[in-house]
Amino acid sequence: MKAFRLDELEAERAANEGAYLQFLRERNMSVGLYALNAGEHDPQKPHNQDEVYFVVSGRASITVGLETTQVARGSVVYVPAGVAHKFHHISEDLRVLVVFSPPES
């Protein structure tokens, strides 16, 4: 078993001064914590993997392809591989668990 605590992951991510911390990598998936603060720009480009976002905290909009929705704590969003997507209008610091399948390269 591998078990993680969000507060410890957030501290590690912040200590590394990066927006993204990959904390699990297995044969068929990888998982990370993504952080964008209120008002920040999301620099993401489309990925070669399917993704699932689970919003741990914060508020924002996300556009996936041509569709836009509001997200907040508890929201889950699926993003197919190769589709443009961005968080925007981030009104509260955003913390998101990201699952990539297959693992992010």
Side-chain angles (χ1 to χ4, degrees):
M1 175 188 353
K2 296 178 183 176
F4 304 91
R5 290 179 43 104
L6 283 172
D7 56 344
E8 293 171 354
L9 295 171
E10 175 61 11
E12 183 179 348
R13 185 206 57 79
N16 290 325
E17 299 180 1
Y20 184 72
L21 171 72
Q22 182 182 102
F23 62 88
L24 179 65
R25 184 177 184 85
E26 297 294 334
R27 187 173 56 85
N28 294 317
M29 63 180 243
S30 61
V31 184
L33 178 64
Y34 190 44
L36 293 167
N37 292 327
E40 273 191 315
H41 169 75
D42 183 1
Q44 291 192 81
K45 304 261 189 263
H47 303 283
N48 295 324
Q49 304 84 2
D50 288 340
E51 293 177 79
V52 173
Y53 289 118
F54 174 74
V55 178
V56 175
S57 63
R59 290 187 175 281
S61 296
I62 186 171
T63 298
V64 178
L66 300 175
E67 297 180 85
T68 298
T69 192
Q70 304 294 310
V71 294
R73 181 180 179 195
S75 297
V76 177
V77 178
Y78 167 69
V79 180
V83 175
H85 58 286
K86 293 216 183 284
F87 290 100
H88 52 93
H89 296 97
I90 302 166
S91 59
E92 295 176 15
D93 292 354
L94 194 62
R95 300 299 182 265
V96 181
L97 286 178
V98 185
V99 179
F100 287 99
S101 181
E104 182 184 31
S105 48

